[in-house]
mmCIF file of all heavy atoms in Angstrom:
data_model
loop_
_atom_site.group_PDB
_atom_site.id
_atom_site.type_symbol
_atom_site.label_atom_id
_atom_site.label_comp_id
_atom_site.label_asym_id
_atom_site.label_seq_id
_atom_site.Cartn_x
_atom_site.Cartn_y
_atom_site.Cartn_z
ATOM 1 N N THR A 1 -3.426 33.324 36.820
ATOM 2 C CA THR A 1 -2.062 32.884 37.110
ATOM 3 C C THR A 1 -1.972 32.312 38.519
ATOM 4 O O THR A 1 -1.405 31.227 38.741
ATOM 5 C CB THR A 1 -1.076 34.049 36.959
ATOM 6 O OG1 THR A 1 -1.072 34.492 35.599
ATOM 7 C CG2 THR A 1 0.339 33.638 37.353
ATOM 8 N N VAL A 2 -2.542 33.029 39.481
ATOM 9 C CA VAL A 2 -2.471 32.590 40.874
ATOM 10 C C VAL A 2 -3.279 31.319 41.088
ATOM 11 O O VAL A 2 -2.841 30.389 41.772
ATOM 12 C CB VAL A 2 -2.945 33.716 41.805
ATOM 13 C CG1 VAL A 2 -2.984 33.236 43.259
ATOM 14 C CG2 VAL A 2 -2.034 34.937 41.677
ATOM 15 N N LEU A 3 -4.466 31.250 40.505
ATOM 16 C CA LEU A 3 -5.279 30.036 40.628
ATOM 17 C C LEU A 3 -4.529 28.833 40.072
ATOM 18 O O LEU A 3 -4.538 27.746 40.672
ATOM 19 C CB LEU A 3 -6.605 30.217 39.885
ATOM 20 C CG LEU A 3 -7.633 31.119 40.569
ATOM 21 C CD1 LEU A 3 -8.742 31.495 39.602
ATOM 22 C CD2 LEU A 3 -8.211 30.433 41.808
ATOM 23 N N ALA A 4 -3.865 29.006 38.929
ATOM 24 C CA ALA A 4 -3.103 27.903 38.339
ATOM 25 C C ALA A 4 -1.956 27.483 39.257
ATOM 26 O O ALA A 4 -1.687 26.286 39.431
ATOM 27 C CB ALA A 4 -2.572 28.311 36.968
ATOM 28 N N LEU A 5 -1.281 28.456 39.864
ATOM 29 C CA LEU A 5 -0.189 28.131 40.779
ATOM 30 C C LEU A 5 -0.694 27.406 42.026
ATOM 31 O O LEU A 5 0.007 26.563 42.596
ATOM 32 C CB LEU A 5 0.554 29.409 41.179
ATOM 33 C CG LEU A 5 1.435 30.031 40.101
ATOM 34 C CD1 LEU A 5 1.900 31.436 40.519
ATOM 35 C CD2 LEU A 5 2.649 29.148 39.817
ATOM 36 N N LEU A 6 -1.906 27.736 42.434
ATOM 37 C CA LEU A 6 -2.513 27.062 43.592
ATOM 38 C C LEU A 6 -3.039 25.674 43.243
ATOM 39 O O LEU A 6 -3.426 24.920 44.131
ATOM 40 C CB LEU A 6 -3.646 27.915 44.168
ATOM 41 C CG LEU A 6 -3.232 29.227 44.842
ATOM 42 C CD1 LEU A 6 -4.465 30.065 45.182
ATOM 43 C CD2 LEU A 6 -2.418 28.956 46.100
ATOM 44 N N GLY A 7 -3.081 25.359 41.958
ATOM 45 C CA GLY A 7 -3.502 24.031 41.535
ATOM 46 C C GLY A 7 -4.948 23.932 41.098
ATOM 47 O O GLY A 7 -5.469 22.815 40.951
ATOM 48 N N ALA A 8 -5.607 25.073 40.876
ATOM 49 C CA ALA A 8 -7.015 25.054 40.472
ATOM 50 C C ALA A 8 -7.119 25.089 38.951
ATOM 51 O O ALA A 8 -6.567 25.990 38.317
ATOM 52 C CB ALA A 8 -7.745 26.245 41.062
ATOM 53 N N PRO A 9 -7.833 24.161 38.341
ATOM 54 C CA PRO A 9 -8.085 24.249 36.898
ATOM 55 C C PRO A 9 -8.890 25.514 36.606
ATOM 56 O O PRO A 9 -9.915 25.761 37.242
ATOM 57 C CB PRO A 9 -8.906 22.991 36.592
ATOM 58 C CG PRO A 9 -8.683 22.076 37.753
ATOM 59 C CD PRO A 9 -8.456 22.958 38.938
ATOM 60 N N CYS A 10 -8.407 26.324 35.672
ATOM 61 C CA CYS A 10 -9.083 27.591 35.428
ATOM 62 C C CYS A 10 -9.010 27.975 33.960
ATOM 63 O O CYS A 10 -8.217 27.415 33.183
ATOM 64 C CB CYS A 10 -8.493 28.707 36.294
ATOM 65 S SG CYS A 10 -6.747 29.038 35.984
ATOM 66 N N ALA A 11 -9.852 28.939 33.595
ATOM 67 C CA ALA A 11 -9.921 29.429 32.225
ATOM 68 C C ALA A 11 -10.071 30.939 32.261
ATOM 69 O O ALA A 11 -10.605 31.507 33.211
ATOM 70 C CB ALA A 11 -11.090 28.793 31.475
ATOM 71 N N PHE A 12 -9.597 31.574 31.197
ATOM 72 C CA PHE A 12 -9.714 33.022 31.067
ATOM 73 C C PHE A 12 -10.640 33.358 29.917
ATOM 74 O O PHE A 12 -10.591 32.726 28.853
ATOM 75 C CB PHE A 12 -8.348 33.664 30.818
ATOM 76 C CG PHE A 12 -8.433 35.128 30.457
ATOM 77 C CD1 PHE A 12 -8.614 36.075 31.437
ATOM 78 C CD2 PHE A 12 -8.359 35.541 29.127
ATOM 79 C CE1 PHE A 12 -8.719 37.427 31.118
ATOM 80 C CE2 PHE A 12 -8.460 36.878 28.792
ATOM 81 C CZ PHE A 12 -8.638 37.828 29.789
ATOM 82 N N MET A 13 -11.483 34.380 30.119
ATOM 83 C CA MET A 13 -12.318 34.890 29.044
ATOM 84 C C MET A 13 -12.147 36.398 28.963
ATOM 85 O O MET A 13 -12.376 37.116 29.939
ATOM 86 C CB MET A 13 -13.788 34.544 29.275
ATOM 87 C CG MET A 13 -14.673 34.946 28.108
ATOM 88 S SD MET A 13 -16.368 34.360 28.300
ATOM 89 C CE MET A 13 -17.011 34.699 26.662
ATOM 90 N N GLY A 14 -11.714 36.868 27.811
ATOM 91 C CA GLY A 14 -11.502 38.283 27.586
ATOM 92 C C GLY A 14 -11.067 38.491 26.155
ATOM 93 O O GLY A 14 -10.994 37.538 25.368
ATOM 94 N N SER A 15 -10.748 39.717 25.814
ATOM 95 C CA SER A 15 -10.393 40.048 24.436
ATOM 96 C C SER A 15 -8.886 40.164 24.247
ATOM 97 O O SER A 15 -8.162 40.628 25.136
ATOM 98 C CB SER A 15 -11.047 41.375 24.027
ATOM 99 O OG SER A 15 -12.440 41.242 23.917
ATOM 100 N N LEU A 16 -8.440 39.748 23.057
ATOM 101 C CA LEU A 16 -7.056 39.935 22.620
ATOM 102 C C LEU A 16 -7.073 40.337 21.150
ATOM 103 O O LEU A 16 -8.050 40.107 20.435
ATOM 104 C CB LEU A 16 -6.234 38.655 22.802
ATOM 105 C CG LEU A 16 -5.615 38.415 24.169
ATOM 106 C CD1 LEU A 16 -4.911 37.062 24.214
ATOM 107 C CD2 LEU A 16 -4.616 39.528 24.517
ATOM 108 N N ALA A 17 -5.970 40.920 20.712
ATOM 109 C CA ALA A 17 -5.807 41.287 19.312
ATOM 110 C C ALA A 17 -4.559 40.613 18.769
ATOM 111 O O ALA A 17 -3.582 40.389 19.503
ATOM 112 C CB ALA A 17 -5.690 42.810 19.168
ATOM 113 N N PRO A 18 -4.552 40.260 17.479
ATOM 114 C CA PRO A 18 -3.371 39.643 16.878
ATOM 115 C C PRO A 18 -2.165 40.578 16.942
ATOM 116 O O PRO A 18 -2.299 41.795 16.946
ATOM 117 C CB PRO A 18 -3.800 39.401 15.426
ATOM 118 C CG PRO A 18 -5.292 39.450 15.433
ATOM 119 C CD PRO A 18 -5.666 40.404 16.515
ATOM 120 N N GLY A 19 -0.980 39.963 16.979
ATOM 121 C CA GLY A 19 0.249 40.748 17.018
ATOM 122 C C GLY A 19 1.218 40.175 18.033
ATOM 123 O O GLY A 19 0.939 39.178 18.704
ATOM 124 N N HIS A 20 2.374 40.815 18.168
ATOM 125 C CA HIS A 20 3.408 40.304 19.064
ATOM 126 C C HIS A 20 2.926 40.250 20.518
ATOM 127 O O HIS A 20 3.172 39.269 21.229
ATOM 128 C CB HIS A 20 4.665 41.177 18.964
ATOM 129 C CG HIS A 20 5.331 41.121 17.627
ATOM 130 N ND1 HIS A 20 5.766 39.938 17.064
ATOM 131 C CD2 HIS A 20 5.643 42.093 16.730
ATOM 132 C CE1 HIS A 20 6.319 40.180 15.883
ATOM 133 N NE2 HIS A 20 6.246 41.487 15.653
ATOM 134 N N ALA A 21 2.235 41.308 20.970
ATOM 135 C CA ALA A 21 1.768 41.319 22.362
ATOM 136 C C ALA A 21 0.741 40.222 22.599
ATOM 137 O O ALA A 21 0.790 39.507 23.608
ATOM 138 C CB ALA A 21 1.179 42.686 22.704
ATOM 139 N N GLY A 22 -0.213 40.074 21.673
ATOM 140 C CA GLY A 22 -1.221 39.027 21.818
ATOM 141 C C GLY A 22 -0.617 37.638 21.809
ATOM 142 O O GLY A 22 -1.031 36.762 22.587
ATOM 143 N N ASP A 23 0.359 37.420 20.933
ATOM 144 C CA ASP A 23 1.023 36.113 20.875
ATOM 145 C C ASP A 23 1.766 35.822 22.177
ATOM 146 O O ASP A 23 1.737 34.698 22.694
ATOM 147 C CB ASP A 23 1.996 36.071 19.698
ATOM 148 C CG ASP A 23 1.289 36.082 18.353
ATOM 149 O OD1 ASP A 23 0.084 35.772 18.318
ATOM 150 O OD2 ASP A 23 1.938 36.414 17.344
ATOM 151 N N PHE A 24 2.445 36.836 22.713
ATOM 152 C CA PHE A 24 3.178 36.676 23.973
ATOM 153 C C PHE A 24 2.223 36.310 25.104
ATOM 154 O O PHE A 24 2.490 35.394 25.895
ATOM 155 C CB PHE A 24 3.917 37.977 24.305
ATOM 156 C CG PHE A 24 4.504 38.011 25.694
ATOM 157 C CD1 PHE A 24 5.731 37.421 25.961
ATOM 158 C CD2 PHE A 24 3.820 38.631 26.735
ATOM 159 C CE1 PHE A 24 6.263 37.453 27.249
ATOM 160 C CE2 PHE A 24 4.343 38.668 28.016
ATOM 161 C CZ PHE A 24 5.569 38.063 28.275
ATOM 162 N N ILE A 25 1.089 36.999 25.171
ATOM 163 C CA ILE A 25 0.114 36.759 26.228
ATOM 164 C C ILE A 25 -0.493 35.366 26.113
ATOM 165 O O ILE A 25 -0.602 34.632 27.104
ATOM 166 C CB ILE A 25 -0.972 37.848 26.195
ATOM 167 C CG1 ILE A 25 -0.400 39.172 26.687
ATOM 168 C CG2 ILE A 25 -2.183 37.444 27.018
ATOM 169 C CD1 ILE A 25 -1.303 40.371 26.453
ATOM 170 N N ALA A 26 -0.885 34.990 24.891
ATOM 171 C CA ALA A 26 -1.500 33.673 24.695
ATOM 172 C C ALA A 26 -0.527 32.557 25.058
ATOM 173 O O ALA A 26 -0.907 31.558 25.686
ATOM 174 C CB ALA A 26 -1.963 33.531 23.250
#
């Protein structure tokens, strides 16, 4: 989040699970 606000192109790698919380995060 901070890197994006600073203007740096970035990517996240980690695990998520389907559902309301996962959809909100994605």
Side-chain angles (χ1 to χ4, degrees):
T1 297
V2 176
L3 286 166
L5 287 169
L6 292 172
C10 61
F12 171 80
M13 185 173 191
S15 291
L16 275 176
H20 295 303
D23 291 341
F24 170 83
I25 288 169

